[in-house]
Amino acid sequence: MSLVTELILSADSEARYPAPKELRIFQDFAKTGEQRIRIARILAENEQRIVQNGSQRFWERCPNTPSNSGNDRKTASCQRDQGWYVRLIAYSILAGSERPLEEIGTVGIKEMYNNLEIPIRNIAECMRCLKEEAMTVLSEEDAQEVGPYFDLIIHSLL
């Protein structure tokens, strides 16, 4: 759900017009639209690089892990999931809200990886590596916008 949708639904549920503070939030959302679109485009264009290089960083730090076991299927599955998280971050940035990431990407994340017998500390470290790699393709200003989304995933694993 986008920030705009959230604000409209909130005002509508109370049978009122958006308050001045909410209107300022709308204005800020509109002002940052070009930046959010640029960030999403950069993440989309560099998703494969982020995943490939992030995986290499991760394997240097955690060489004994299912994604680096020599099983091509496991490696592909892990990298598919990593790409999914990069896309989900891009969607959340476009929406101007962490809510999609919270509702889709972090609910049950620990349980899922525990059931797959993948160490949670490995997933957290992998997300740190993806974040580090994503920062290399973004400007400093854009990186400041993206970093908290990765941090949300990492903190949900701790």
Side-chain angles (χ1 to χ4, degrees):
M1 181 178 313
S2 76
L3 176 70
V4 173
T5 304
E6 290 176 36
L7 293 172
I8 290 171
L9 289 176
S10 175
D12 188 53
S13 71
E14 298 171 11
R16 63 173 176 77
Y17 290 102
K21 180 181 178 182
E22 292 167 320
L23 293 175
R24 281 191 296 281
I25 292 170
F26 282 125
Q27 287 175 320
D28 291 343
F29 182 79
K31 286 179 188 174
T32 62
E34 286 184 30
Q35 179 189 24
R36 288 182 285 103
I37 291 169
R38 180 183 63 248
I39 291 170
R41 184 175 4 90
I42 291 168
L43 291 175
E45 290 170 354
N46 290 282
E47 177 187 331
Q48 187 173 11
R49 173 185 165 183
I50 293 167
V51 170
Q52 291 294 324
N53 293 349
S55 291
Q56 290 299 320
R57 284 177 194 244
F58 172 65
W59 294 331
E60 289 170 10
R61 296 176 192 175
C62 300
N64 299 319
T65 187
S67 66
N68 194 28
S69 65
N71 182 326
D72 291 340
R73 194 179 72 130
K74 282 186 180 181
T75 300
S77 294
C78 291
Q79 290 183 330
R80 178 201 62 217
D81 289 355
Q82 293 166 22
W84 182 78
Y85 280 107
V86 173
R87 285 190 303 279
L88 188 54
I89 288 170
Y91 302 155
S92 295
I93 289 168
L94 284 172
S97 173
E98 293 176 341
R99 195 166 180 185
L101 186 57
E102 291 169 338
E103 291 178 349
I104 301 168
T106 62
V107 171
I109 191 172
K110 280 179 158 177
E111 294 81 6
M112 177 182 69
Y113 285 114
N114 278 330
N115 288 335
L116 293 170
E117 299 179 353
I118 298 173
I120 297 300
R121 69 182 186 286
N122 285 18
I123 300 299
E125 188 61 34
C126 182
M127 290 300 148
R128 284 186 197 96
C129 293
L130 291 176
K131 176 184 176 183
E132 291 168 12
E133 187 59 33
M135 300 301 110
T136 69
V137 300
L138 297 164
S139 70
E140 187 175 325
E141 180 184 1
D142 292 349
Q144 289 177 358
E145 292 297 318
V146 173
Y149 292 92
F150 278 101
D151 293 340
L152 178 66
I153 297 169
I154 294 164
H155 291 289
S156 70
L157 292 163
L158 304 175

